[in-house]
Amino acid sequence: MYEKLISESIKAKELSHSPYSKFKVGVALLTKDDKIYLGANVECSSYSLTICAERVAAVKAITDRRKKFKAVAIATNSKEFAFPCGACRQFLSEFSENMDVILVKTKKQYQIYKLQNLFPHTFKLK
Ligand code: THU
């Protein structure tokens, strides 16, 4: 079902700018209208200014007028499945609270979660 999204996330690792951590993260974000946006982590010598791959992809989609997401595939070079950080969970849930989150090791090894299960009780300005 998500074959293309998964392989795009693996390819997106090549876009990573991560000279400090050497930890490459590649993301492929699927919008409600079936467009795919790629993202990768972009690090900065002032480390805390680093931007995660998930938020790079989301910001690209949002500023291209696409604010509803079906799924995000996240690939890294780690041997473990890498979950999105808390900040990215909050950020994605702002737009699509119950999208699918796919953790990718290889084209054949992946896990699918619901964002709501990874991040219940998201902060809301209400
Ligand atoms: N990183 C992401 O791109 N996404 C996450 O959800 C967590 C961490 C990046 C930030 C940094 O460039 C590297 O992974 C190591 O923390």
Side-chain angles (χ1 to χ4, degrees), residues 1-9 107 110:
M1 178 187 184
Y2 286 130
E3 279 90 358
K4 181 166 167 59
L5 199 67
I6 288 166
S7 63
E8 289 293 311
S9 73
K107 282 183 189 177
Y110 58 86

Side-chain angles (χ1 to χ4, degrees), residues 71-72 74 84 92 99-103 111-115 118:
V72 64
I74 305 165
L92 291 172
M99 63 192 294
D100 287 332
V101 177
I102 308 157
L103 312 183
Q111 295 180 342
I112 306 183
Y113 294 85
K114 285 282 175 195
L115 181 55
L118 295 182

Side-chain angles (χ1 to χ4, degrees), residues 21 23 25 41 43 50 52-54 83-85 88:
S21 73
F23 190 86
V25 185
N41 52 329
E43 297 185 346
T50 290
C52 293
E54 295 87 335
F83 287 85
C85 77
C88 289

Side-chain angles (χ1 to χ4, degrees), residues 38-110:
L38 303 183
N41 52 329
V42 180
E43 297 185 346
C44 180
S45 58
S46 182
Y47 298 155
S48 65
L49 300 181
T50 290
I51 307 174
C52 293
E54 295 87 335
R55 278 177 285 157
V56 169
V59 165
K60 283 169 72 178
I62 293 155
T63 53
D64 205 19
R65 302 179 199 282
R66 287 174 173 86
K67 298 186 182 174
K68 286 289 161 212
F69 310 138
K70 284 184 184 167
V72 64
I74 305 165
T76 73
N77 288 333
S78 172
K79 289 198 182 88
E80 308 295 324
F81 284 109
F83 287 85
C85 77
C88 289
R89 295 181 205 197
Q90 173 71 41
F91 196 88
L92 291 172
S93 74
E94 172 94 10
F95 299 95
S96 292
E97 243 179 292
N98 211 22
M99 63 192 294
D100 287 332
V101 177
I102 308 157
L103 312 183
V104 179
K105 273 192 200 174
T106 66
K107 282 183 189 177
K108 301 260 169 228
Q109 291 177 288
Y110 58 86

